[in-house]
Amino acid sequence: MRISSPDKLLFPEAGVSKLDLATYYADVADAVLRGLRDRPVALNRFPDGLGGGKSFYTKAAPKGLPDWASTARVTFPSGRTGDEVCVTEAATVVWTVQMGALELHPWPVRAADTDHPDELRIDLDPQPGTDFAEAVAVAREAHALFEELGIRPFVKTSGGRGLHLLVRIEPRWTFVEARRAVIAFARELERRRPEQITTSWWKEERGERIFIDFNQMARDRMTVAAYSTRARPEAIVSMPVLWSDLGDVEPGDFTVKTVPALVAKNGDANAEIDDVAHSLDALLEMADRDEKDHGLGDLPYPPDFPKMPGEPKRVQPSKARHDDDGDSAGSAGSAEAADSTHQGSKS
Ligand code: ATP
Ligand code: MN
């Protein structure tokens, strides 16, 4: 892979050049490929580096894709399709650096079947008044619940203030089902730790808690790849961590400069992630129980989604109180319903 302008600084404050970033990915190639291989990926590109002004989040494979590189076809929530870059080898990752990508955001699917996720993702988002330490406490609670279900979760820093939990699943369920499983999981955690955890989509209801962002499991929602950099001045990296080490780390410990030595010394904390693919049956049974016994159904989708079947009103509670329309589905998300093909939920 040829890198043009190798001395151009992609992270000026951290002093990380294009060649440095390409070298970083080459150094951690096995580890970074574990999270990216055969996955369609969206790129957050900064062609002039961080602070260079321009940046764009690209889903479609850019023009100039090398002839050895692959794409994978994905279907967006609108029902339209697109071809995204598919990571097949270390050179693909190095090529993203040539394209000025500072963040790699893979789909939770593999190219062979882009409608059925093979990765369940739990996004723990600290709300104002909480921080990384609170996210760690909630991650431990989540770890315990997964263990009760016989499921082995892996954890990584997001590179922001929160954490991502990853679970390898059999690619047998749709995005709608995988999101339903995440909602059931999050609700059970919320019942166990109501002071610490919220599943409220509405910020006004979240309080000083960790929000479990179940909509990150919706179709066309990405989570940054393990070992990808984040577009932050420190050249911070989203870093997998062993559960036994989680209490001893800070997100800022992991940068382009520190991570290669850590991986060389300790290996990849996600090394065993592909060993077992779990079933979603237990979580989907929890979802059924929530619905039958507690009347807890679906939760709102993000604003850019078409209205989804069974989705509740997409309006924040403080506004809904002033709304005369008692129909729980009718006017919901009417602005989004313009594209009412519902194809995002098909199959
Ligand atoms: P934090 O721990 O601070 O929440 P995060 O990376 O999890 O960091 P979120 O806002 O929770 O950030 O978003 C989750 C994921 O959604 C990201 O990892 C990224 O893949 C994707 N994402 C969020 N916002 C954007 C954006 N503006 N552009 C591209 N991708 C985004
Ligand atoms: Mn997050």
Side-chain angles (χ1 to χ4, degrees), residues 123-147:
D123 179 28
L124 303 182
D125 284 349
Q127 299 302 296
T130 66
D131 206 343
F132 186 69
E134 286 80 10
V136 169
V138 170
R140 292 200 188 291
E141 200 66 42
H143 185 203
L145 176 53
F146 272 129
E147 286 203 321

Side-chain angles (χ1 to χ4, degrees), residues 84-253:
E84 298 195 3
V85 176
C86 181
V87 178
T88 50
E89 56 184 299
T92 321
V93 185
V94 174
W95 168 83
T96 69
V97 177
Q98 172 62 15
M99 300 307 286
L102 300 191
E103 297 188 338
L104 312 174
H105 300 284
W107 281 61
V109 303
R110 313 261 189 173
D113 181 354
T114 61
D115 288 324
H116 295 93
D118 73 331
E119 185 168 87
L120 202 73
R121 297 169 169 175
I122 309 286
D123 179 28
L124 303 182
D125 284 349
Q127 299 302 296
T130 66
D131 206 343
F132 186 69
E134 286 80 10
V136 169
V138 170
R140 292 200 188 291
E141 200 66 42
H143 185 203
L145 176 53
F146 272 129
E147 286 203 321
E148 288 172 33
L149 297 165
I151 291 174
R152 182 174 181 195
F154 291 79
V155 64
K156 66 185 184 67
T157 64
S158 67
R161 300 311 307 171
L163 289 163
H164 300 150
L165 271 59
L166 308 177
V167 170
R168 199 58 88 235
I169 58 173
E170 297 170 67
R172 300 204 272 127
W173 291 275
T174 63
F175 280 97
V176 168
E177 289 167 323
R179 178 177 168 279
R180 180 173 165 84
V182 170
I183 288 173
F185 182 84
R187 278 178 168 151
E188 176 57 23
L189 282 185
E190 186 181 36
R191 277 192 288 268
R192 293 180 179 197
R193 298 279 175 209
E195 302 305 317
Q196 288 169 271
I197 299 171
T198 177
T199 58
S200 179
W201 182 240
W202 310 110
K203 287 189 179 156
E204 64 190 15
E205 292 183 340
R206 287 184 194 163
E208 294 187 0
R209 298 187 179 93
I210 301 298
F211 170 54
I212 303 182
D213 189 355
F214 52 88
N215 274 333
Q216 286 302 124
M217 200 62 233
R219 182 182 280 274
D220 194 31
R221 282 301 193 275
M222 263 59 77
T223 300
V224 74
Y227 299 99
S228 167
T229 52
R230 304 310 307 263
R232 298 165 56 102
E234 312 85 352
I236 228 161
V237 165
S238 174
M239 183 72 173
V241 180
L242 293 176
W243 287 105
S244 54
D245 291 340
L246 193 57
D248 303 321
V249 304
E250 285 291 329
D253 296 344

Side-chain angles (χ1 to χ4, degrees), residues 255-329:
T255 70
V256 166
K257 296 195 167 158
T258 62
V259 166
L262 290 171
V263 171
K265 181 162 164 267
N266 305 322
D268 175 12
N270 278 1
E272 295 173 3
I273 196 168
D274 291 312
D275 289 2
V276 185
H278 294 284
S279 166
L280 284 187
D281 284 342
L283 286 167
L284 291 172
E285 280 163 24
M286 280 168 60
D288 290 345
R289 281 201 297 275
D290 276 348
E291 198 148 16
K292 288 199 193 83
D293 303 346
H294 306 286
L296 296 171
D298 203 355
L299 292 170
Y301 273 81
D304 56 306
F305 272 67
K307 177 82 179 71
M308 300 294 276
E311 183 187 352
K313 226 171 175 130
R314 217 179 270 178
V315 61
Q316 71 194 64
S318 60
K319 294 222 171 91
R321 280 196 288 277
H322 305 291
D323 190 344
D324 290 334
D325 181 5
D327 175 4
S328 64

